């Protein structure tokens, strides 16, 4: 026979009640999971949510509904970022346009609603500016100037 929590004076809140609390705390977030856990003698609900590029973890006391823990992070490889080719691939595409150049700067830019990588390279007295579509890798602009 196991041991049971004999404190039945107040029953645990339901997952639906906890989800509502979490959605009120992080407006317009999408609930990823709600897990009931028993930690240090307390039954808790761990709620994971996402909104934009952030992922949230909220921990509630299952009896009182009190928020015990609140944290958020931006995952290194967020779903949004993975739809782009990435800096490494952008550099290699740019270097195909000027194979002996050195990449000086590579920046991600969302210019006029178009996600792009802007790469600056140098080779001897020449300076190159390459703009790539961040999703497809297509070359949008290519400039070669004499660096003065």
């Amino acid at each position: 026979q196991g041991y049971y929590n004999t404190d039945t004076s107040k029953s645990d809140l339901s997952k639906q009640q906890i989800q509502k609390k979490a959605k009120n705390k992080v407006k317009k977030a999408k609930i990823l999971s709600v897990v009931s856990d028993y930690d240090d003698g307390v039954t808790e609900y761990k709620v994971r949510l996402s909104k934009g590029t952030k992922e949230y973890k909220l921990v509630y006391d299952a009896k009182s509904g009190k928020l015990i823990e609140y944290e958020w992070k931006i995952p290194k490889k967020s779903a949004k970022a993975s739809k782009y080719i990435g800096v490494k691939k952008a550099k290699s595409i740019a270097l195909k346009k000027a194979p002996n150049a050195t990449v000086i700067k590579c920046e991600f830019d969302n210019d006029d609603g178009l996600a792009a990588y802007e790469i600056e390279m140098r080779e001897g007295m020449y300076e190159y500016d390459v703009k790539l579509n961040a999703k497809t890798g297509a070359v949008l602009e290519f400039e070669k100037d004499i660096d003065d």
Side-chain angles (χ1 to χ4, degrees), residues 92-106:
S92 79
I93 292 169
L95 284 166
K96 285 180 184 163
K97 300 289 286 173
N100 297 319
T102 301
V103 175
I104 304 300
K105 187 163 75 175
C106 181

Side-chain angles (χ1 to χ4, degrees), residues 135-146:
K135 289 182 182 179
T136 65
V139 177
L140 302 171
E141 293 174 19
F142 177 77
E143 290 179 20
K144 178 180 179 181
D145 295 316
I146 293 176

Side-chain angles (χ1 to χ4, degrees), residues 22-86:
K23 282 196 160 222
N24 284 335
K25 184 74 179 163
V26 186
K27 305 274 188 233
K28 295 183 179 161
K30 178 182 165 202
I31 292 184
L32 302 173
S33 68
V34 180
V35 179
S36 178
D37 191 18
Y38 193 72
D39 189 23
D40 293 330
V42 178
T43 304
E44 300 174 338
Y45 279 114
K46 290 182 182 172
V47 186
R48 295 201 180 276
L49 306 104
S50 70
K51 180 180 171 184
T53 57
K54 291 181 182 177
E55 283 184 7
Y56 296 82
K57 180 178 133 189
L58 281 61
V59 180
Y60 289 93
D61 180 302
K63 286 230 183 287
S64 69
K66 181 177 165 243
L67 183 63
I68 302 168
E69 201 178 308
Y70 174 91
E71 61 183 55
W72 62 266
K73 65 180 178 180
I74 298 175
K76 283 187 174 63
K77 182 111 172 135
S78 71
K80 228 175 204 174
S82 66
K83 68 181 176 187
Y84 301 126
I85 59 170

